[in-house]
Amino acid sequence: MKATHSIPIAVALGLASGAAVANDALQERAQMFFDPIPDSAAGHIAERNEMTPEKVELGKLLFFDPRLSASQTISCNTCHNVGMGGDDNIPSSVGHNWQRGPRNSPTIFNAVFNVAQFWDGRAEDMTQQAKGPIQAGVEMNNTPDNLEATLQSIDAYVDAFEDAFPDSEQAVSFDNTAKALEVYQATLITPDAPFDQYLKGDKSALTDQQIAGLDAFVNKGCVACHNGVNVGGQGYYPFGVVNRPGADVMPEGDTGRAQVTKTAADEYVFRSPSLRNVELTAPYFHSGNVWSLQEAVSIMNDAQLNSLLTEEDVVNVTAFLRSLTGDQPEVVYPELPISSEDTPMPDIPDYPRATSAEG
């Protein structure tokens, strides 16, 4: 019996050894392309915007306060819901006067690690990013002057700004509002995903199917655009480089980064999205018209890789992407300061009121 089974056992041991070597090589390769989410992003913005407890607390109040909008009904959390993966899970956000924005709202989680903000990268950091939606007519529709008047009318905000910005001649300002928002948003990170544990050396953190998906992701081209700590968000790439998706996924009128740079070479070029927590942030793409993660992988396979991934690869890559879901931020909704008699009134369109007595 020993002689009969000695060859199969040797073969099995050899295969196991070969698989272990292959897994080691894949892990080492993954560690070359990706980095785990750190426990803090403070060092990432420290040189231009120091993260202090006072700024974080102020930024948190501002993030949840709808009085940053002209109507006083829309907060940052409206479109970047911290309980829903850092976005709003609809194709495009609903803003002032029930207007819909042109693009899907990106997640705010881990956004601090992106090379730039927005799909077209028009804001180089989250301080600039914070100023955009506040002033955008289709979003919060406010002005810097009205925002400052609102915050200055609330004593608790004046005190909070002075604590957060003790060296500012005018502590309550539009610029400092954006800085405080950036600091708070930089705390909204999601470390310790299974993939992070894998990158730190724990080979058992991923399932066999997820490892197979990682192998396809790395070795068949996905990693070219989706790499770094955010598994994306690090550069700008043309969408539809091999095959152009349909207009429902890639609207012809949205030319991407070309709208910022005004150069033809940037037509239909977008900042690659982070794939962190991607299973929580449907619908997908800048159009927000794809609800299935596996369908999104299939579309990218055709558009960018010329169907290099097999059907099995697509399933496995989808499984791998689910390993990118990290620990979600634990957020306690803050008690917001009370308005005063001097606080500007909300700018609410004069819609007819419902005649029903309900509510």
Side-chain angles (χ1 to χ4, degrees):
M1 294 294 290
K2 290 182 180 179
T4 302
H5 289 282
S6 60
I7 294 176
I9 290 174
V11 171
L13 289 173
L15 291 173
S17 176
V21 170
N23 286 338
D24 287 345
L26 178 61
Q27 187 179 55
E28 290 175 2
R29 193 152 192 232
Q31 290 166 338
M32 292 172 57
F33 288 116
F34 310 103
D35 294 300
I37 294 283
D39 293 330
S40 170
H44 200 76
I45 62 172
E47 289 187 5
R48 56 182 172 75
N49 194 4
E50 182 183 3
M51 183 182 288
T52 64
E54 293 81 7
K55 278 189 193 175
V56 172
E57 186 58 31
L58 172 59
K60 180 179 181 179
L61 292 174
L62 295 168
F63 185 86
F64 287 96
D65 199 329
R67 288 169 295 189
L68 266 63
S69 66
S71 67
Q72 300 188 13
T73 61
I74 302 169
S75 72
C76 301
N77 190 62
T78 302
C79 302
H80 301 285
N81 195 311
V82 296
M84 300 173 64
D87 67 346
D88 53 13
N89 298 144
I90 56 177
S92 62
S93 300
V94 178
H96 186 76
N97 200 15
W98 296 102
Q99 298 175 90
R100 287 185 58 188
R103 294 175 181 155
N104 180 253
S105 177
T107 177
I108 199 64
F109 289 172
N110 307 306
V112 63
F113 302 121
N114 290 333
V115 67
Q117 305 302 320
F118 298 115
W119 284 96
D120 53 21
R122 64 185 181 273
E124 66 178 16
D125 55 47
M126 289 198 299
T127 295
Q128 287 192 12
Q129 180 275 330
K131 294 179 178 181
I134 291 174
Q135 300 178 88
V138 297
E139 296 182 64
M140 301 170 92
N141 195 44
N142 212 342
T143 66
D145 287 345
N146 187 66
L147 175 70
E148 290 176 0
T150 299
L151 297 173
Q152 287 170 347
S153 73
I154 301 171
D155 289 343
Y157 266 131
V158 173
D159 292 341
F161 270 91
E162 290 177 347
D163 289 342
F165 299 97
D167 298 326
S168 292
E169 291 186 8
Q170 182 181 335
V172 181
S173 69
F174 186 48
D175 286 345
N176 285 344
T177 296
K179 289 178 181 178
L181 283 168
E182 177 184 47
V183 165
Y184 173 65
Q185 290 170 167
T187 70
L188 301 177
I189 58 177
T190 62
D192 209 31
F195 187 52
D196 291 319
Q197 298 169 33
Y198 178 83
L199 291 174
K200 293 177 181 179
D202 183 0
K203 296 183 180 67
S204 67
L206 302 186
T207 66
D208 289 345
Q209 185 181 37
Q210 288 171 337
I211 288 174
L214 170 61
D215 190 300
F217 191 94
V218 168
N219 291 314
K220 292 192 175 181
C222 306
V223 73
C225 302
H226 295 282
N227 50 63
V229 67
N230 260 356
V231 195
Q234 307 305 303
Y236 305 96
Y237 305 94
F239 189 25
V241 67
V242 179
N243 297 304
R244 186 185 179 99
D248 57 331
V249 175
M250 186 176 171
E252 291 188 11
D254 188 347
T255 57
R257 188 153 174 77
Q259 297 173 355
V260 177
T261 65
K262 309 302 180 185
T263 60
D266 283 333
E267 288 187 356
Y268 304 107
V269 168
F270 296 88
R271 192 209 66 203
S272 65
S274 165
L275 296 181
R276 291 284 183 173
N277 306 290
V278 68
E279 69 173 328
L280 305 179
T281 60
Y284 303 110
F285 301 109
H286 60 285
S287 58
N289 284 330
V290 177
W291 290 88
S292 162
L293 181 56
Q294 185 166 315
E295 182 184 353
V297 174
S298 294
I299 290 171
M300 291 298 289
N301 182 35
D302 178 65
Q304 307 298 99
L305 302 178
N306 203 24
S307 299
L308 187 60
L309 298 178
T310 66
E311 290 185 9
E312 183 179 12
D313 286 336
V314 169
V315 173
N316 292 339
V317 167
T318 304
F320 161 65
L321 294 179
R322 298 186 191 283
S323 77
L324 302 179
T325 303
D327 293 340
Q328 302 299 288
E330 294 185 7
V331 179
V332 177
Y333 200 100
E335 182 178 348
L336 301 175
I338 300 174
S339 296
S340 73
E341 292 183 358
D342 296 326
T343 302
M345 293 292 101
D347 176 15
I348 299 177
D350 189 21
Y351 291 126
R353 297 194 183 195
T355 56
S356 170
E358 292 181 7

